[in-house]
Amino acid sequence: MAMWQGAMDNRGFRQGSFSSFRSSSSDEDLMDIPGTAMDFSMRDDVPPLDREVEEDKSYNGGGIGSSYRIMDFLEEPIPGVGTYDDFNTIDWVREKSRDRDRHREITNKSKESTWALIHSVSDAFSGWLLMLLIGLFSGSLAGLIDISAHWMTDLKEGICTGGFWFNHEHCCWNSEHVTFEDRDKCPEWNSWSQLIISTDEGAFAYIVNYFLYVLWALLFAFLAVSLVKVFAPYACGSGIPEIKTILSGFIIRGYLGKWTLVIKTITLVLAVSSGLSLGKEGPLVHVACCCGNILCHCFNKYRKNEAKRREVLSAAAAAGVSVAFGAPIGGVLFSLEEVSYYFPLKTLWRSFFAALVAAFTLRSINPFGNSRLVLFYVEFHTPWHLFELVPFILLGIFGGLWGALFIRTNIAWCRKRKTTQLGKYPVVEVLVVTAITAILAFPNEYTRMSTSELISELFNDCGLLDSSKLCDYENRFNTSKGGELPDRPAGMGVYSAMWQLALTLILKIVITIFTFGMKIPSGLFIPSMAVGAIAGRLLGVGMEQLAYYHHDWAIFNSWCSQGADCITPGLYAMVGAAACLGGVTRMTVSLVVIMFELTGGLEYIVPLMAAAMTSKWVADALGREGIYDAHIRLNGYPFLEAKEEFAHKTLAMDVMKPRRNDPLLTVLTQDSMTVEDVETIISETTYSGFPVVVSRESQRLVGFVLRRDLIISIENARKKQDGVVSTSIIYFTEHSPPMPPYTPPTLKLRNILDLSPFTVTDLTPMEIVVDIFRKLGLRQCLVTHNGRLLGIITKKDVLKHIAQMANQDPDSILFN
């Protein structure tokens, strides 16, 4: 039958065995996809939600003259009824309705006793308490990850003999034998060649350091991919495409569980320390959402309601970005703009509170020792000029082109990984990419340092005391008014740095394509920002030298006099970083606010906005999808994008199942089918639910019942109710149908029937149907004609139709 034609096979139910419906927590039944591994087994990380069942419903059964004393097996909630199978979509309407009923019951009871009033107050306060806990846990884990990654990154180059737990910077801070100019060189910090052959000079020492750098990188990468593969396949990737899909109502059990949290935290440190072209900022959103999901289990109103839980996860995503960039407001806007599907005003306030607590916690830990939340915080003091909008827009164009190029090539590589033998050897792939990255990175100081340190170096506004090659200008101690450094001719160090940065740009552009999507935690924010920051710094230095040598040109003479501080190369790096990140993710508002919070200055919002919007326009002209949406489509997740318009003139009858010449729709009748009849339908089909009609002849709709609820209810009735046999009649009406004498007891299942399924007529435009699915979060919609049931449209059918209309492969939609 064509009902829910594309629905997932119900892995928990096997023909002839209802007891097998509850699947084990085995990790064996896995489907491999880019960026994660799909576990079709139910896990204890997300316990089944108990459906709140009305106690006044009674089990009516037995024919006339029956000697059975009937007891209602639905008087107590049945574990599992009202919950969802793995890799299925929740019913937002039902979940919100259940929460309203729960809240109404608590409010009514609060008027009856003091204890009930206290319970009502605690219920209202529990949301804020949960946000507090999420902020504390997210901030603490972020601080732990930052400190550990910084130490292990430096471990590839050497170790502190004064205390092995110190990283390079902290080791030299505690030294009494270090000068400000050589603050990175102290006797307490020893490279591996100094420890092994007692010297840091010569070709052999260089080879020893080179070899150990590559060896440590391979060890960290091997540990990361092995832990992910063995213990938590869901811990790989950035996690944001899956988080976005989960927030839209999709169920992926175990993706936000405790094992995923533990392994992701450990392997994220290892992956970042290996020197691969990836970042920890995206995975921190996944880590924060894991914290939110686990803490939800402590509060009944969130544990038992999937819609309420997703409100918490939206706030957790905001906390994750808050600790990733030190940008609480940007985190809230990121959750609203990029990942959340349902974001009511109450969630906005709570997201803000969670982001605030997370940022405060991370600030208290002070992982970088600079009283800042991120390594690349920077402050600029030189104002920008109107003419500079031209190079800023050029950076926006570059960011859009880079974003479109990266998305196309990365998706092509991930599809190749998914469809060829390459995907079967994740450990080999990670080790090969790590080896190539480490071998090419070590000779260049800008690729050897961590990407966060590189961005910090590129954002830096050169001062009098800077010893970086990027600040090696001639006449560097001739200051202008106010003590600020004027534009000045570049020295040999700057020219050398430009060549090295150009090579770094090429390596980052190429290697990031192959790195993102491997079976290790990998974020995309930092590599994208690094590409843009390098391009921006190169352009900024070029503009600075142009203004110095040609200050009398018409474009400069009105605002840039000789000896003045006109151009800030670090600002160009920041604008370039924003442009490339926007080109890849298609973020706009949240991106500008995050970058503004990084710089601490309102003055640079206009350049950031110009670059971000230009980047988005250029990238959208070359491809409509951001990187996360592209990975969602690649993995076949049922995500219905709310930002895109459906403009095709098709009708509901063109999309519904069954189509013309298809077998008739599989339905249940309200009072004439036996237990055996229903069990046969369940065993012979894989549909996730069934319409209930008055009779097969009339096809008048009564309601809709989910397959999972049917299986659990029948199994429970067989165990707890004497006399229920295969010939017992199942009925969904209020009263038992008249039965002949001495027939077995009937089985009433009205409690699991949805009496108000959403329906449309067969002539409803699909434009309206798509809008209904988006705004109400429906799983399915029934199609009628003059009150008679004709067919059904599922979310998967809608997504397939949209793909078909866009000339894409409709079979790429794998889940319902």
Side-chain angles (χ1 to χ4, degrees), residues 617-785:
W617 286 334
V618 172
D620 281 347
L622 300 174
R624 296 290 299 173
E625 292 178 321
I627 185 65
Y628 301 129
D629 293 329
H631 273 273
I632 286 172
R633 185 163 60 84
L634 177 68
N635 295 338
Y637 295 137
F639 182 77
L640 196 53
E641 179 58 67
K643 300 170 188 172
E644 295 182 4
E645 294 292 330
F646 183 84
H648 302 282
K649 295 183 178 180
T650 51
L651 301 176
M653 62 188 299
D654 301 324
V655 181
M656 74 174 191
K657 302 291 181 64
R659 302 284 180 86
R660 187 176 299 174
N661 300 325
D662 283 349
L664 294 176
L665 190 67
T666 301
V667 297
L668 305 180
T669 56
Q670 66 174 0
D671 56 8
S672 61
M673 297 184 72
T674 64
V675 171
E676 184 179 20
D677 295 336
V678 174
E679 289 179 343
T680 300
I681 287 176
I682 291 173
S683 64
E684 291 178 353
T685 64
T686 58
Y687 309 139
S688 297
F690 306 93
V692 178
V693 296
V694 174
S695 66
R696 296 187 187 279
E697 293 74 25
S698 71
Q699 289 290 307
R700 285 174 49 209
L701 183 64
V702 176
F704 191 85
V705 64
L706 293 178
R707 172 198 190 91
R708 179 183 177 90
D709 292 352
L710 268 177
I711 294 172
I712 294 175
S713 299
I714 293 174
E715 178 187 329
N716 192 75
R718 284 188 180 276
K719 287 180 179 178
K720 295 188 176 181
Q721 175 59 48
D722 292 337
V724 173
V725 293
S726 296
T727 54
S728 297
I729 294 293
I730 291 179
Y731 68 98
F732 297 94
T733 53
E734 191 65 49
H735 303 289
S736 172
M739 302 293 294
Y742 308 111
T743 56
T746 54
L747 179 58
K748 181 178 180 179
L749 296 182
R750 189 175 178 83
N751 267 13
I752 64 171
L753 181 66
D754 178 6
L755 292 169
S756 55
F758 206 94
T759 59
V760 295
T761 66
D762 53 337
L763 297 179
T764 304
M766 274 306 294
E767 185 178 4
I768 295 176
V769 174
V770 171
D771 244 10
I772 290 170
F773 270 87
R774 280 176 179 157
K775 294 176 179 177
L776 294 181
L778 298 182
R779 301 179 74 194
Q780 72 280 322
C781 174
L782 300 175
V783 182
T784 61
H785 176 76

Side-chain angles (χ1 to χ4, degrees), residues 108-150:
N108 292 336
K109 286 184 177 179
S110 66
K111 302 172 184 177
E112 299 173 1
S113 66
T114 305
W115 177 250
L117 180 62
I118 294 172
H119 175 64
S120 175
V121 172
S122 67
D123 180 78
F125 179 71
S126 63
W128 295 101
L129 177 60
L130 181 56
M131 295 303 114
L132 175 67
L133 294 174
I134 289 172
L136 290 172
F137 275 82
S138 301
S140 301
L141 285 175
L144 175 66
I145 290 169
D146 286 336
I147 293 170
S148 304
H150 202 171

Side-chain angles (χ1 to χ4, degrees), residues 125-375:
F125 179 71
S126 63
W128 295 101
L129 177 60
L130 181 56
M131 295 303 114
L132 175 67
L133 294 174
I134 289 172
L136 290 172
F137 275 82
S138 301
S140 301
L141 285 175
L144 175 66
I145 290 169
D146 286 336
I147 293 170
S148 304
H150 202 171
W151 176 74
M152 291 180 69
T153 299
D154 289 345
L155 188 64
K156 291 185 298 183
E157 299 185 39
I159 195 168
C160 184
T161 54
F164 73 90
W165 54 88
F166 289 123
N167 61 38
H168 190 170
E169 187 177 11
H170 290 168
C171 182
C172 291
W173 277 358
N174 297 328
S175 175
E176 298 177 355
H177 310 285
V178 64
T179 61
F180 187 83
E181 289 77 12
D182 295 326
R183 53 189 176 274
D184 290 334
K185 299 177 182 178
C186 59
E188 287 82 4
W189 180 262
N190 290 305
S191 67
W192 292 112
S193 61
Q194 286 177 305
L195 288 173
I196 295 171
I197 60 174
S198 303
T199 180
D200 203 23
E201 304 293 333
F204 186 61
Y206 182 84
I207 291 171
V208 170
N209 287 330
Y210 200 153
F211 175 75
L212 284 168
Y213 179 91
V214 175
L215 191 65
W216 278 112
L218 288 171
L219 176 63
F220 292 156
F222 176 75
L223 288 174
V225 70
S226 299
L227 288 171
V228 167
K229 183 180 178 182
V230 174
F231 294 104
Y234 285 145
C236 63
S238 117
I240 292 180
E242 285 75 20
I243 296 295
K244 197 169 178 178
T245 309
I246 289 171
L247 290 179
S248 75
F250 196 54
I251 302 281
I252 309 179
R253 298 203 183 279
Y255 195 83
L256 302 177
K258 50 186 176 292
W259 267 113
T260 304
L261 173 63
V262 172
I263 298 301
K264 185 115 186 179
T265 303
I266 296 170
T267 54
L268 180 55
V269 174
L270 291 167
V272 171
S273 304
S274 69
L276 285 165
S277 183
L278 49 82
K280 61 182 181 296
E281 282 66 21
L284 278 174
V285 175
H286 188 184
V287 168
C289 287
C290 286
C291 292
N293 183 66
I294 293 167
L295 290 169
C296 277
H297 297 165
C298 303
F299 301 87
N300 272 343
K301 83 171 178 180
Y302 296 106
R303 181 171 62 86
K304 294 184 176 183
N305 192 290
E306 293 286 1
K308 295 294 289 181
R309 186 183 297 180
R310 276 150 181 77
E311 293 179 21
V312 173
L313 296 181
S314 292
V321 174
S322 173
V323 294
F325 290 102
I329 301 173
V332 175
L333 291 175
F334 173 82
S335 181
L336 174 62
E337 179 184 6
E338 187 63 24
V339 298
S340 292
Y341 192 83
Y342 174 68
F343 204 84
L345 190 59
K346 182 168 60 176
T347 303
L348 178 70
W349 300 333
R350 289 180 175 172
S351 299
F352 183 79
F353 179 65
L356 168 68
V357 173
F360 177 78
T361 304
L362 186 61
R363 172 65 180 80
S364 302
I365 295 172
N366 194 16
F368 303 109
N370 59 1
S371 299
R372 302 296 183 188
L373 300 182
V374 288
L375 191 60

